[in-house]
Amino acid sequence: MSTPSATYKNEAPRRQVWRRFREKPINRWSLRILYLLVFIALTADFFANEKPLYCQIEGETYWPVLRSYAVDLGLQPPRGDFERMNWLTREYEAVVRAPIPYSPTTIDRRNMRAIGPFERQNTPSRYFQHWLGTDELGKDVAAGLIHGTRTALLVGLVAMTVASLIGIFLGAVAGYFGDDRLQWPRRRFWLFGLGLIPWIFFGWIAPAPWFFGESLIGRVLWIIATLVLLLWVCRLFVPERANHRQTAWPLDFGVMRLIEVMNSIPALMLLLAIVATIEQSSLLLVMAIIGVIGWTSIARFVRAELLRIREQNYIEAARALGISEGRILLRHALPNGLRPVLITIAFGISGAILLEAFLSFLSIGLPADAVTWGTLLNKIKTDTDAWWLALFPGFAIFITVTIFNLIGEGLSEAMKV
Amino acid sequence: MGAYLLKRLFFFLPTLILISVLAFFLSKTAPGDPVELYHRGAFGELGEGGAQAERIYTDTRAQLGLDKPVFYFAFTAKAYPDTLYRITRREHRQNLRQLIRQSGNWPAIQQYYRSTEQLFAACGQLPDTLAPNVVNQVQKILTGLPLRSDTTFINRQVYRLDTLLNNKPSLARTLGNADDDLIDAWQEVRQSSRPAALYTPALYWYGLDNQYHHWLKSMLHGDFGRSYLDGQPAAAKIGRALRWTLLINLLAIILAYGLSVPLGVYMAVHKDSRFDRVSTVALFMLYSLPSFWVGSLLLVIFTDPQLGLQFFSITRVNDAVNEGNLWQQVGATLRQIALPVFCLVYGSLAFIARQMRGGMIEVLQQDFIRTARAKGLSQRRVIWKHAFRNALFPLITLFASLFPAMLAGSVIIEYIFNIPGMGKLTVDSIRNQDWPVVYVLLLLSAVMTMAGILLADLLYSLADPRVSYQKKQSS
């Protein structure tokens, strides 16, 4: 237990945590490596790309990498001859290539059958060396690693965003309202129960309005929108009156049972079983499913924190002032209860990255062309001599998982009072 | 205690039912037509087209119980009929749903679907001599139609059908007006959509004679269905796999606890010594090392002929496991499972040892430890009798979360080292679309996890007599 020195007495808690976190060198280094990984993920196309950064063909100047960004953004029309061009082997009048002149999908026919980094490689010059070797099809491992960074960080980001949205909401509601605080007039319960039937039909079964689209996200938003509408209607028709008999929602009980159910299925098994049923899988969908499975630890944390906060004096004061419960939860209780969630999120990111690596290692449920560290590592199963296929992608996973674990560890230490 | 146990078991029941519903519906949405998957393996090919194949298809479907409604009830829009499950082919059923989604007019769609069937049947009864080429083309179009729902495609095909038959008046005459029926029916589908029916709720009640009910009932009777792949009972397949999984996981748990507890205690007692500092870092590294990476590296090291370290059998299960005398069998099994067990152990070892150290340090700072020391008890007695027992509780709760994590981890490890356990079975079954096995495995892993949680609860109360699980009497 460290006692803050006098100069820091009026320091905001957030700054205090940050300062304590940065006091330890290992935490600072973890952050630096994280920044580096984010940087690589953002600029992967400029680091490893079969398209040159700049080139001259028949007197014309091109910036092929930038151009492909423009095409993706819809600023420029795609060019057929550019799509079909063999960027790697053609002749240029002048050219500036990416540091690693291969894309993760580039097939180098001269170096097929998994050539190691120290073996003789058939490349035109040192510049085209496969520094980390190639795989069975002649794809460059280094390029795969660099582009896999993007996937790995994206998995962490998307999965934990989804998990946080669900977990914070359920945890906050369970912790703050408990089994006794959210009281409704009994008639409103009846109305709500009746309203569930049309809600299930119009929210879940009938086609959603066109502006919500046919996509999964649109459907989820529509289900939430109709639920909010139902709650609003219930409130409108049965307003709060002093003489009504009140009944409380057993929210804490409900959420805890839900967490128990979720925890009684091993996450990987559930993930495999769900992903296997998807016929047209996408990386983004898999990330979202990982999030949907992994919200329970966040919910538990938030719940525990809010159970503590709801007994605090300032919450009592806010209630005495007549502020509505929803507003107290959102504006007063939740902001104070969110900080510890960062710890779970840090550990959760490393868990999500591992889960995705598991899936792609088993090559189940991911699109065939996805480039991830797990798919690179997977090739060791068929080609056990190619040690570079095991060492480098695994090391990348290890480093990423470790820094997120370290950050989580550091945060939890820094937040201990 | 008994009452608490009963209560816990009572809570498991709804959880189990929920999970069974989840597993059932996942298996229903899994890709592939179950009947065709069933006939791909040990049950003989369905064959291409023809009345024979159709009959086998229908028979198998009835045998698998797929000709029944899916659940006790269906809550859908009025546009969908309550008898849609009677459509034999799964692809046709899905496509009809899509068509209903588009127009909402089931009677017209039904008329259209029937007329494609009738025309197809009429084509089958034609004499072989009558324009076989054209008949062939017509039949081809007709098999394609019930699989597609985009209107432009169907328009074009129906128009093509019409011109084909108009060019062969003799053929059209023999077929009667079956072809006009089809065109009329399709016009009807296009022109009279009933969107209101898509927004009208309907509840259909099917009663107990449904797929889920039969599935659940046979599960309770110990019949877990048959593998699509080789026709073996799923229970037998899983039972064989379960032996391996339990063997390596139990070994791993015993080893992990057996090694980490003394290590954690030693680190806590000698807190801040050099040994403690080094092991803390080492344990953290171990904890973060992904087991499947370590597994892959071990795979490389112990299979590479250049290194000459081929002590372990890795690439496949050795038959030696079941041969020779007892010692030879044990030796063969150990060579098989040594590496997988190692991969499972080191992660949990690191995890448990870190927890043990933390818990022990906390306990050692308590007053009663100082009291015990002041009484003149030996160091050993203080640590093992007084401190250790109190530091043990978090370890027991850990078991509840460690066990499922290990089960999940062993999926990958078994896959890497070719251990024919549950994990490898899961992966293989998913790859082969052997859904009955996959979803029974899902259920089983859930049951095992719940059993682990329950066991942890029981151990907890055994270790600490103060834990009673009875509601505190409010006086």
Side-chain angles (χ1 to χ4, degrees), chain A residues 163-181:
Chain A
S164 308
L165 284 178
I166 304 174
I168 291 176
F169 175 75
L170 289 179
V173 164
Y176 182 74
F177 291 116
D179 285 338
D180 51 353
R181 266 205 192 165

Side-chain angles (χ1 to χ4, degrees), chain A residues 205 273 277 362 381 390 409, chain B residues 75 101 293 354 415 431 439 446:
Chain A
I205 297 167
T277 60
L362 299 173
K381 261 294 273 180
E409 197 96 337
Chain B
F75 185 38
R101 245 183 98 84
W293 182 38
R354 275 155 51 86
Y415 169 73
R431 291 205 172 142
Y439 292 101

